Amino acid sequence: MTDAPDVPEVIDGAAVAGPDGRLRCPWALSTEDYVAYHDEEWGRPVHGDEALYERLSLEAFQSGLSWITILRRRPGFRAAFAGFHIEKVAAFTDEDRERLLADPGIIRNRAKIDATMANARVLAEWAPGELDALIWSHAPEPGTYPAPKTVADVQAVTPESTALSKALKKRGLRFIGPTTAYALMQACGLVNDHLETCVARSTP
């Protein structure tokens, strides 16, 4: 998993039985905070421009950090960025930037804050559903990649994520390289990188 690299020590990186006896991806058991995210969110299809803008923004903030750092601050991010409502963030001012830089509830990185605000301004000019359509147009055909058996089989970058990164950058979006794009694809269900024997792989 590209956005949750902190995994417990496991044999061969295979799925691990949790306290309930069910097999899960090893990273899901590295902290209690991950279990619900792994079981209920990660790899499930996400649609809607603002839901995807939120995920895109959080993945950008995660760059260089552990995903758990972002996950634990997600309520703070949502409060700071007006629920990731695109038009509201697009209207943020220099005063909002200074407010964000002083907010301990988020990651106070100027470049990432500026990118999140700039991306909202770009997306505010797009037609409704355009971001959703662009991102999902880069989902690989079903069966393109086999189910990973161990964490070593999980990729960090694919041709599709590279193409998605290029497409988003061409349209003016920032802080979305191929690795971040693939983390977005994993998190939003464009690909299913739950391990082959993981309970969440086939759970509806």
Side-chain angles (χ1 to χ4, degrees), residues 101-147:
L101 287 168
D103 189 338
I106 66 171
I107 302 301
R108 292 173 286 183
N109 179 293
R110 183 178 294 273
K112 294 176 181 180
I113 288 170
D114 286 347
T116 302
M117 293 170 59
N119 287 346
R121 290 193 289 270
V122 170
L123 293 172
E125 300 298 320
W126 291 21
E130 194 169 354
L131 177 62
D132 189 307
L134 188 155
I135 288 176
W136 277 91
S137 72
H138 289 81
E141 290 294 324
T144 299
Y145 301 105

Side-chain angles (χ1 to χ4, degrees), residues 116-192:
T116 302
M117 293 170 59
N119 287 346
R121 290 193 289 270
V122 170
L123 293 172
E125 300 298 320
W126 291 21
E130 194 169 354
L131 177 62
D132 189 307
L134 188 155
I135 288 176
W136 277 91
S137 72
H138 289 81
E141 290 294 324
T144 299
Y145 301 105
K149 297 181 183 298
T150 73
V151 293
D153 298 325
V154 178
Q155 304 179 78
V157 176
T158 63
E160 292 85 2
S161 76
T162 300
L164 175 58
S165 172
K166 289 180 179 178
L168 292 170
K169 287 180 178 179
K170 185 176 181 180
R171 296 293 304 275
L173 298 185
R174 295 160 51 182
F175 235 103
I176 181 73
T179 301
T180 298
Y182 193 65
L184 177 73
M185 294 171 72
Q186 289 176 306
C188 295
L190 280 75
V191 295
N192 184 350

Side-chain angles (χ1 to χ4, degrees), residues 27 67 73 77-78 80-81 97 120 138 142 168 174 197:
W27 62 265
W67 177 247
R73 287 173 170 77
F77 275 107
R78 287 174 170 169
F81 285 97
R97 178 184 291 105
H138 289 81
L168 292 170
R174 295 160 51 182
T197 56

